[in-house]
Amino acid sequence: MGWGKYLLLGDFGQQLDLEDQKEEIRSLRKRISLNNATNSSVTQRLERLEKENDELKLYLSSLVVLLKNTGAITKDQLENVVEMVDGYDGKIDGKHKGGINT
């Protein structure tokens, strides 16, 4: 509608178009800023979860090595226990949902 405003209102119409464009640019900048803040928050959370996951794998691997090296458990026994615990949540799928059952 820029041409219509210009033809009917001249420079004043052009100024109205410019103000409309400035408002649209402000709105887009605000949306980009909000998206960047959200992305930053998600990125920080993901980095924290990756660090926690790495630490958990380190401790789990250390415990498995300790148990095997002390003879407290064999590889077959460990695999059987893993399968048993995997089934605690109703299906054997390589995941465990829920707490630690003893």
Side-chain angles (χ1 to χ4, degrees):
M1 188 148 131
W3 283 104
K5 282 184 185 176
Y6 182 71
L7 289 173
L8 294 174
L9 302 173
D11 287 339
F12 181 69
Q14 195 172 29
Q15 290 302 316
L16 290 175
D17 277 347
L18 290 173
E19 287 303 315
D20 289 345
Q21 294 301 319
K22 285 180 185 177
E23 182 57 37
E24 181 67 19
I25 289 169
R26 277 193 288 272
S27 174
L28 290 171
R29 283 185 175 153
K30 185 175 182 179
R31 284 179 28 201
I32 288 170
S33 178
L34 289 173
N35 283 341
N36 286 342
T38 300
N39 289 343
S40 177
S41 174
V42 169
T43 299
Q44 288 173 352
R45 185 166 185 235
L46 181 59
E47 287 171 353
R48 190 178 75 247
L49 289 171
E50 286 175 336
K51 181 180 178 186
E52 183 178 320
N53 186 50
D54 289 342
E55 187 176 336
L56 287 169
K57 288 191 292 185
L58 172 65
Y59 278 90
L60 177 61
S61 295
S62 298
L63 285 172
V64 169
V65 168
L66 179 64
L67 289 170
K68 284 177 59 184
N69 288 348
T70 60
I73 195 167
T74 66
K75 182 180 181 227
D76 290 337
Q77 289 172 320
L78 179 61
E79 288 172 354
N80 290 337
V81 170
V82 167
E83 187 173 332
M84 179 182 71
V85 172
D86 187 13
Y88 282 170
D89 60 1
K91 58 183 171 179
I92 297 175
D93 57 2
K95 300 182 227 175
H96 179 68
K97 308 274 186 189
I100 297 174
N101 299 335
T102 55

